[in-house]
C-alpha cells in the first residue's frame, strides 16, 4: 500500500502495474502545512488578558519594593542626622559641665565650695562624657546602616551630609489621604482580572475550536524517474463532547481563585486603610510632640543660663545645677528624637498612601 501510494503521488501510475508486486519504489516527500486558529472558544483572548494582567501585577510588585526601599533609605538618612544631632546635644552638655567644673575648682581653691560638691560635678562630667562616647558610637552605627541599605560594603568611611540639605524640603505631607494608588492594592486588582480571565479560559474548553489550514506536498522518485505535487485546504472544527468532568473542575477551581482574590483584596484594602489612618495620626502626634519639645528646649536653655549665673555667684547649690544641666541635655535629646520621628512619620505616611518618600 505504501509503494502504491508513492506511485500515485509521483504521478507514475500505469495500468500495467502489478498491484501485488509493484516493485521497488523510492520516494522523497516534502510537505508544508500552515494552520491558523479562527476561534478557540475565547481561550486565546482570555489567556492574553490574563498574561497582561499578570505582567502589570508584577510591575506593581516591583513598585512596592522600590517604595519600601526608598522609605528605608530616607529612614536611614534621617537616622544619621538624628544620631549626629544627638552627639551635638550631648557635646553641648559636656561643654556646660566642663565650664561648671572649671568654675567649681576655682571656688574650691578659694574656699567657697565643698570638696564633695566639686566631686559631684566631676562625676557628672564623666558620666556625660560617657554618654557622648555612646552617642558617637551610635552615629557610626547609623553610617554603617546607611551603607547597608544602599547595598554598599561597610567600612570605616563616614557619610558626608549637606548642612542645608534641599531634599528635606521635598519631604512634604501628602495632599490627600487616598490610598487607592498603593501598589499592593493595584497588584491585587490586576491579579483579580487575571483570575477572572482564567475563568473565561476554562469555560472556553466547552466551546468548539475552529482552525483553517492549507497544505502543500511534493513527491519525487528516482526509481521511476517521476515527480508530482498536490495541495489541500480546508477548515476543521473540534468539539469536546466528554472529558470526564475535567473542564467543570477547572472552572470551579478558577472561580474559587477569583473568590479568594476578592477576599484578599478586601482584606488588603481594610488593612491599608487602617495603616494609612494610623500613619496620619502618628504624624500629627509627632508634629505636636516636636512643637512641645521646641518650647521645652527654649525654657530649659533659659533656665540653665540663669542657673549657671547663680552658680558662678555662689547662689545655687551644686545639686541644683546638676539637675538643671541634666534637664537641658535630656530636653535637647527629646527634641532631636522628636525632629527625626516627625520626618520618619512623614515618610511612613507617604508610603502608606502609595507615594514615594520624596517628591520628584
Amino acid at each position: 500500500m505504501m509503494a502504491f501510494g508513492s506511485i500515485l503521488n509521483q504521478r507514475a501510475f500505469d495500468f500495467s502495474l502489478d498491484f501485488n508486486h509493484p516493485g521497488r519504489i523510492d520516494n522523497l516527500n516534502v510537505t508544508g502545512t500552515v494552520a491558523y486558529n479562527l476561534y478557540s472558544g475565547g481561550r486565546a483572548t482570555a489567556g492574553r488578558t490574563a498574561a497582561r494582567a499578570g505582567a502589570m501585577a508584577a510591575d506593581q510588585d516591583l513598585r512596592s519594593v522600590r517604595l519600601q526601599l526608598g522609605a528605608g533609605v530616607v529612614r536611614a538618612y534621617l537616622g544619621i542626622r538624628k544620631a549626629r544631632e544627638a552627639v551635638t546635644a550631648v557635646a553641648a552638655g559636656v561643654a556646660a559641665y566642663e565650664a561648671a567644673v572649671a568654675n567649681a575648682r576655682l571656688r574650691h581653691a578659694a574656699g567657697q565650695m565643698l570638696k564633695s560638691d566639686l566631686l559631684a560635678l566631676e562625676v557628672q562630667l564623666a558620666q556625660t562624657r560617657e554618654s557622648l562616647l555612646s552617642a558617637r558610637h551610635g552615629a557610626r552605627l547609623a553610617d554603617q546602616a546607611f551603607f547597608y541599605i544602599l547595598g554598599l560594603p561597610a567600612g570605616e568611611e563616614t557619610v558626608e551630609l549637606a548642612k542645608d540639605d534641599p531634599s528635606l524640603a521635598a519631604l512634604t505631607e501628602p495632599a490627600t489621604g487616598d490610598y487607592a494608588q498603593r501598589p499592593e492594592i493595584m497588584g491585587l486588582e490586576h491579579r483579580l482580572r487575571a483570575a477572572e480571565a482564567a475563568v473565561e479560559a476554562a469555560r472556553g474548553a466547552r466551546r468548539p475550536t475552529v482552525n483553517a489550514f492549507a497544505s502543500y506536498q511534493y513527491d519525487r522518485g528516482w526509481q521511476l524517474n517521476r515527480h508530482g505535487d498536490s495541495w489541500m485546504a480546508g477548515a476543521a472544527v473540534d468539539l469536546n463532547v466528554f472529558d470526564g468532568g475535567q473542564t467543570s473542575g477547572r472552572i470551579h477551581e478558577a472561580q474559587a481563585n477569583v473568590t479568594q482574590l476578592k477576599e484578599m483584596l478586601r482584606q488588603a484594602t481594610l488593612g491599608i486603610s487602617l495603616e494609612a489612618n494610623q500613619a496620619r495620626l502618628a504624624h500629627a502626634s509627632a508634629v505636636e510632640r516636636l512643637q512641645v519639645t521646641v518650647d521645652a528646649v527654649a525654657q530649659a536653655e533659659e533656665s540653665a543660663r540663669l542657673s549657671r549665673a547663680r552658680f558662678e555667684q555662689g547662689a545655687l547649690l551644686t545639686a541644683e545645677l546638676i539637675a538643671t544641666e541634666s534637664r537641658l541635655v535630656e530636653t535637647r535629646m527629646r527634641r532631636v528624637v522628636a525632629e527625626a520621628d516627625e520626618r520618619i512619620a512623614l515618610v511612613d505616611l507617604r508610603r502608606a498612601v502609595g507615594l514615594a518618600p520624596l517628591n520628584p
Side-chain angles (χ1 to χ4, degrees):
M1 290 298 298
M2 294 181 61
F4 184 66
S6 298
I7 291 172
L8 292 178
N9 291 333
Q10 295 174 16
R11 303 182 186 273
F13 175 74
D14 190 310
F15 283 102
S16 62
L17 176 68
D18 186 350
F19 295 105
N20 294 321
H21 301 282
R24 181 175 297 175
I25 299 298
D26 60 347
N27 185 65
L28 170 65
N29 176 267
V30 178
T31 303
T33 302
V34 177
Y36 183 77
N37 177 255
L38 300 177
Y39 179 69
S40 62
R43 283 174 286 184
T45 302
R48 286 194 299 269
T49 302
R52 292 192 184 104
M56 296 175 70
D59 289 340
Q60 294 302 320
D61 292 342
L62 177 60
R63 178 168 167 257
S64 175
V65 173
R66 286 177 173 172
L67 286 178
Q68 293 177 7
L69 179 59
V73 170
V74 176
R75 287 195 200 98
Y77 168 80
L78 294 174
I80 294 177
R81 296 180 64 92
K82 176 180 177 181
R84 294 184 181 178
E85 289 173 1
V87 170
T88 302
V90 179
V94 170
Y97 276 118
E98 287 176 344
V101 168
N103 180 267
R105 286 173 179 167
L106 294 175
R107 290 177 58 193
H108 177 264
Q112 298 177 358
M113 175 176 284
L114 297 175
K115 181 67 173 179
S116 59
D117 291 340
L118 174 59
L119 292 175
L121 278 174
E122 289 177 342
V123 169
Q124 190 64 35
L125 173 59
Q127 291 178 348
T128 309
R129 284 174 174 169
E130 181 183 357
S131 299
L132 180 58
L133 291 175
S134 298
R136 287 172 176 169
H137 179 67
R140 288 194 294 270
L141 290 178
D143 287 342
Q144 300 302 315
F146 187 72
F147 285 127
Y148 168 76
I149 199 167
L150 290 180
L152 300 176
E156 298 299 328
E157 299 84 359
T158 59
V159 181
E160 295 184 8
L161 301 182
K163 293 183 179 180
D164 298 323
D165 193 346
S167 63
L168 292 179
L171 189 59
T172 58
E173 185 174 357
T176 177
D178 185 16
Y179 50 85
Q181 298 302 313
R182 277 285 294 267
E184 293 88 347
I185 292 179
M186 298 180 68
L188 284 173
E189 289 175 346
H190 291 311
R191 286 186 170 87
L192 178 58
R193 284 195 286 272
E196 291 172 345
V199 173
E200 291 300 317
R203 288 174 176 169
R206 290 178 172 174
R207 305 185 185 105
T209 300
V210 181
N211 294 304
F213 64 93
S215 176
Y216 175 79
Q217 177 177 321
Y218 175 79
D219 291 273
R220 170 72 182 181
W222 287 267
Q223 190 74 24
L224 299 177
N225 196 24
R226 298 292 296 272
H227 65 89
D229 60 351
S230 61
W231 60 268
M232 178 174 60
V237 179
D238 296 327
L239 178 62
N240 189 358
V241 178
F242 179 73
D243 60 3
Q246 290 184 1
T247 300
S248 297
R250 290 169 183 161
I251 293 174
H252 292 323
E253 180 182 7
Q255 290 174 338
N257 290 334
V258 169
T259 303
Q260 181 182 10
L261 283 169
K262 285 181 178 179
E263 292 303 318
M264 290 175 62
L265 177 60
R266 178 175 175 273
Q267 181 182 12
T269 302
L270 293 176
I272 290 174
S273 173
L274 176 61
E275 181 183 350
N277 291 333
Q278 288 176 339
R280 189 169 295 279
L281 292 175
H283 179 251
S285 175
V287 171
E288 295 176 358
R289 190 169 68 254
L290 176 59
Q291 184 59 47
V292 170
T293 57
V294 169
D295 297 339
V297 167
Q299 296 170 359
E301 288 177 346
E302 180 64 18
S303 176
R305 186 185 65 81
L306 296 175
S307 297
R308 291 165 189 161
R310 293 180 60 196
F311 179 75
E312 292 175 358
Q313 297 173 1
L316 186 70
L317 296 177
T318 302
E320 293 176 340
L321 177 63
I322 292 175
T324 301
E325 294 291 353
S326 299
R327 283 194 297 271
L328 177 58
V329 172
E330 181 181 355
T331 305
R332 284 174 173 170
M333 289 292 295
R334 285 203 302 268
R335 183 186 64 182
V336 168
V337 173
E339 288 176 349
D341 288 347
E342 188 274 332
R343 297 285 89 186
I344 292 174
L346 185 53
V347 171
D348 292 337
L349 176 58
R350 292 181 63 86
R351 189 191 64 81
V353 298
L355 297 178
L358 301 177
N359 291 322

